[in-house]
Amino acid sequence: MNFEYTKAQLDLKDEIFHFVKHSINKLGFIDEKRPFNAKEWKEVGKLKIQGLPIPVEFGGRGFDALTSTIALEELSYHCEDGGLPFAIAAQMLSCLIPIWKNGSDSQRNNFLPKLCDGSYIIANSITEQETGSDIYGMKSTARQEGGDFIIQAQKTLITNAPLAGWSLVYVATHPEKRYFGGISAFIIDHSLSGVNSNLELKKLGLESVQMGNQSFENVKVSEKDLLGKLGAGGPIFQSSMEWERACLGAVHLGRMKKILDFSIDFVKNRNVGGNPISKYQSISHKIADMKIKIETSRLILYKAASSLDSNKETGITASIAKLYISEAYRTMCYDAFSIMGGSAYLSGSFIENYIKDSLSSTIYSGTSEIQRNIISGYLKI
């Protein structure tokens, strides 16, 4: 196993660092208390970060999954707002990957270049209020009428929904079949009659990410809007979730590195009893544990991303990565809170937004409980 970054990966890390420093952060157009807009999203698209793993022929950067993950980690570390890297990764992994892997030539040529450069924004629309983790028991339906489909769907907690112009919408076409042939995926234009994707939700964390409810009432779409084959939505979604579980942890890892850097500086400069608190073993051990979590997370993350590149069994590795990194991220936030003491409890403290953002990390892409179900299933227990 080679743990060294390649020259191409080092160059990409450097490219992202300078772009974030001199464009995203310097311009100050991202404020973690204010949702970013389409203009700001397009600014990021100048570097085609949204299309890191998408082939060059479709407007992307053409990087493998591992290199794309390294880039997301770098983006998350340097970006002052934690919401932007999350939103970019969520769209890339849950929407661009399925279109690239399953789309028709027309869909790939029409959507991917503009999604990669930030001209388009698309939302992954699957979550429903009543089904929760039982996604294949969804109530949303598509009724076929000749060569068209009539969509009836109510979706919730959809990342980028109020900002997007399109959605990748999963609906039941044969509900009784569930995962095996029961679900289909459609790319739906938000300008169609019956689509309402403007219902923004207020959240506890990731405040700069626009998230909302969606309503699709008697929306007519054609067969050309179907992604892949009729009934193939289950495997399409499952594949996208393997990418998301394997790679999204890069965003958390970047934030974890920021927490460690801050915490080291804090304990060296915070004095109690005439000594920096770094001299107290109870404090230094917390810092050591943070470092262990980061190094372990990176190894698991890179292994999961590499499994995507090698076309090996990704499911269990992706679930391990998602479970471990999200819980390590949340734990590190509370450790930093403990180290900072009373100053962390004040509004506007360094750790405030990190804590709020980390709370959702064990929920999206499948809860920690779901990941444990998947892992135990692979172990045949």
Side-chain angles (χ1 to χ4, degrees):
M1 298 177 68
N2 183 2
F3 294 96
E4 297 294 325
Y5 293 119
T6 65
K7 183 180 184 305
Q9 290 166 347
L10 290 171
D11 289 343
L12 180 59
K13 283 164 62 73
D14 189 61
E15 180 184 14
I16 289 176
F17 164 68
H18 286 287
F19 179 75
V20 173
K21 179 180 178 181
H22 297 293
S23 180
I24 296 178
N25 290 343
K26 187 164 181 144
L27 290 176
F29 61 61
I30 294 297
D31 179 350
E32 59 195 14
K33 298 293 186 182
R34 175 184 65 79
F36 44 83
N37 57 42
K39 181 179 178 181
E40 295 162 353
W41 187 269
K42 190 169 177 60
E43 180 71 21
V44 180
K46 290 179 178 179
L47 209 60
K48 296 187 178 180
I49 292 176
Q50 290 95 325
L52 288 166
I54 304 302
V56 174
E57 63 184 292
F58 297 122
R61 296 293 299 268
F63 294 117
D64 57 28
L66 175 58
T67 303
S68 300
T69 298
I70 291 168
L72 288 174
E73 178 187 344
E74 194 74 7
L75 176 69
S76 180
Y77 177 78
H78 293 293
C79 192
E80 291 179 358
D81 168 42
L84 180 65
F86 171 82
I88 288 172
Q91 176 188 257
M92 177 198 307
L93 302 168
S94 66
C95 296
L96 273 72
I97 294 295
I99 294 174
W100 167 37
K101 296 288 188 180
N102 304 279
S104 64
D105 288 341
S106 175
Q107 288 170 334
R108 287 185 286 188
N109 288 319
N110 288 339
F111 285 100
L112 290 178
K114 293 182 179 180
L115 288 168
C116 290
D117 71 9
S119 298
Y120 285 179
I121 302 173
I122 187 169
N124 179 45
S125 304
I126 190 163
T127 303
E128 297 181 8
Q129 186 70 43
E130 295 183 9
T131 54
S133 296
D134 180 25
I135 55 174
Y136 301 116
M138 65 177 61
K139 307 302 181 184
S140 298
T141 62
R143 183 182 76 257
Q144 195 161 8
E145 289 189 354
D148 295 324
F149 294 86
I150 308 301
I151 308 293
Q152 295 280 2
Q154 300 292 327
K155 302 294 184 177
T156 189
L157 300 172
I158 308 302
T159 299
N160 293 332
L163 193 62
W166 289 264
S167 285
L168 178 56
V169 184
Y170 293 86
V171 293
T173 43
H174 292 91
E176 71 283 358
K177 295 183 179 180
R178 292 175 63 88
Y179 175 84
F180 295 104
I183 307 298
S184 299
F186 294 86
I187 301 175
I188 298 182
D189 188 335
H190 287 185
S191 67
L192 292 175
S193 176
V195 178
N196 185 352
S197 189
N198 301 316
L199 304 173
E200 185 178 352
L201 298 171
K202 298 300 181 183
K203 309 182 301 303
L204 178 63
L206 293 170
E207 294 176 78
S208 66
V209 181
Q210 295 196 37
M211 178 180 284
N213 290 336
Q214 294 181 308
S215 175
F216 301 87
E217 298 286 354
N218 294 315
V219 178
K220 180 183 287 189
V221 297
S222 67
E223 288 183 349
K224 69 179 179 60
D225 300 312
L226 178 67
L227 184 66
K229 296 181 180 180
L230 187 67
I236 289 173
F237 177 73
Q238 182 61 32
S239 176
S240 75
M241 281 298 96
E242 289 187 355
W243 274 80
E244 188 165 299
R245 290 164 183 161
C247 302
L248 188 59
V251 175
H252 307 329
L253 183 57
R255 309 309 282 175
M256 290 161 68
K257 288 163 60 182
K258 294 276 282 188
I259 294 170
L260 177 63
D261 289 349
F262 177 88
S263 298
I264 290 173
D265 184 67
F266 183 89
V267 299
K268 285 181 176 179
N269 290 283
R270 168 68 168 146
N271 290 299
V272 173
N275 294 308
I277 62 174
S278 60
K279 299 301 181 182
Y280 295 97
Q281 214 171 50
S282 61
I283 298 296
S284 63
H285 284 186
K286 283 185 182 294
I287 299 293
D289 286 341
M290 286 183 177
K291 179 63 174 175
I292 292 169
K293 286 183 176 66
I294 287 174
E295 293 303 317
T296 305
S297 294
R298 182 178 290 109
L299 289 173
I300 294 172
L301 176 71
Y302 289 5
K303 179 182 179 181
S306 295
S307 71
L308 292 167
D309 292 324
S310 61
N311 294 315
K312 292 182 178 179
E313 185 70 65
T314 307
I316 186 170
T317 308
S319 285
I320 290 171
K322 199 280 174 181
L323 174 63
Y324 182 84
I325 298 171
S326 62
E327 295 200 344
Y329 177 34
R330 189 173 62 177
T331 300
M332 273 191 65
C333 288
Y334 286 117
D335 285 344
F337 184 92
S338 175
I339 289 170
M340 292 175 65
S343 63
Y345 196 64
L346 299 176
S347 179
S349 74
F350 166 83
I351 201 63
E352 177 183 356
N353 286 317
Y354 287 84
I355 290 177
K356 292 193 293 184
D357 292 352
S358 73
L359 293 176
S360 60
S361 67
T362 59
I363 299 174
Y364 48 69
S365 307
T367 64
S368 291
E369 291 74 20
I370 290 295
Q371 304 314 315
R372 289 185 171 93
N373 285 346
I374 293 171
I375 294 165
S376 60
Y378 274 98
L379 299 175
K380 302 185 185 305
I381 56 174

